Amino acid sequence: MKKPNSRLAVTVLATALALAGAMTSACAQTSDLPTIYSRGQISYTSGGVGQDEEQAFKQEAPHWPLALQFSGPGGQFIADVHVSIMKRDGTKVLEAVSQGPYMLVKLPAGAYTLHVEYLHQKQQKNVNISGHTAAAFRWNVQ
């Protein structure tokens, strides 16, 4: 029976640990999303302030069933948008305030009505979630 080469085993183990650390670091760098909140079956995150966070939202958006974007006059980004998502039967599934110009929401497939409010001005859109859906809201108030 051959005696194992301990030097080779140490080298292989060190290489594996280095690769695992590099992969973890790379994942952390691409996941600059703010805190993800859960309410029952619904998860969401919002933000997008700063270039790194904005890039993270744009990169992650296709992986979430619903991506929302909020803007004001001239396309400027806004925050503190009140968001209420309801099933078409009137059941409220989420009520939250967006902390930035982007909000990503994981919710089951189905038909929903989005109610959003910024500076006492309300908007509403109907969406059907069956894969990825995006909706943009724009206000002309300062």
Side-chain angles (χ1 to χ4, degrees):
M1 183 179 205
K2 252 182 150 177
K3 185 176 177 184
N5 184 339
S6 61
R7 181 177 223 160
L8 177 62
V10 169
T11 303
V12 169
L13 181 60
T15 303
L17 290 172
L19 286 172
M23 288 174 57
T24 301
S25 176
C27 289
Q29 289 174 357
T30 60
S31 183
D32 288 325
L33 288 178
T35 302
I36 297 173
Y37 299 96
S38 293
R39 296 195 178 147
Q41 291 183 329
I42 312 302
S43 298
Y44 73 95
T45 184
S46 66
V49 178
Q51 281 187 332
D52 289 345
E53 211 173 86
E54 179 183 3
Q55 200 58 31
F57 272 93
K58 288 180 178 180
Q59 184 177 346
E60 285 295 315
H63 306 291
W64 290 68
L66 180 62
L68 304 175
Q69 183 178 349
F70 311 111
S71 62
Q76 72 187 31
F77 288 148
I78 59 174
D80 298 322
V81 177
H82 295 263
V83 177
S84 180
I85 301 176
M86 303 179 82
K87 290 182 182 179
R88 296 280 171 84
D89 68 4
T91 305
K92 189 178 295 184
V93 296
L94 178 68
E95 188 156 355
V97 177
S98 179
Q99 301 301 307
Y102 299 101
M103 180 179 266
L104 302 177
V105 185
K106 285 191 180 182
L107 67 167
Y112 298 90
T113 301
L114 311 175
H115 298 271
V116 296
E117 183 177 348
Y118 178 70
L119 297 178
H120 305 292
Q121 290 193 0
K122 298 177 182 182
Q123 294 185 36
Q124 172 181 317
K125 288 187 181 180
N126 292 325
V127 295
N128 290 308
I129 305 296
S130 61
H132 171 72
T133 301
F137 296 89
R138 183 176 176 171
W139 285 265
N140 292 315
V141 294
Q142 299 279 343

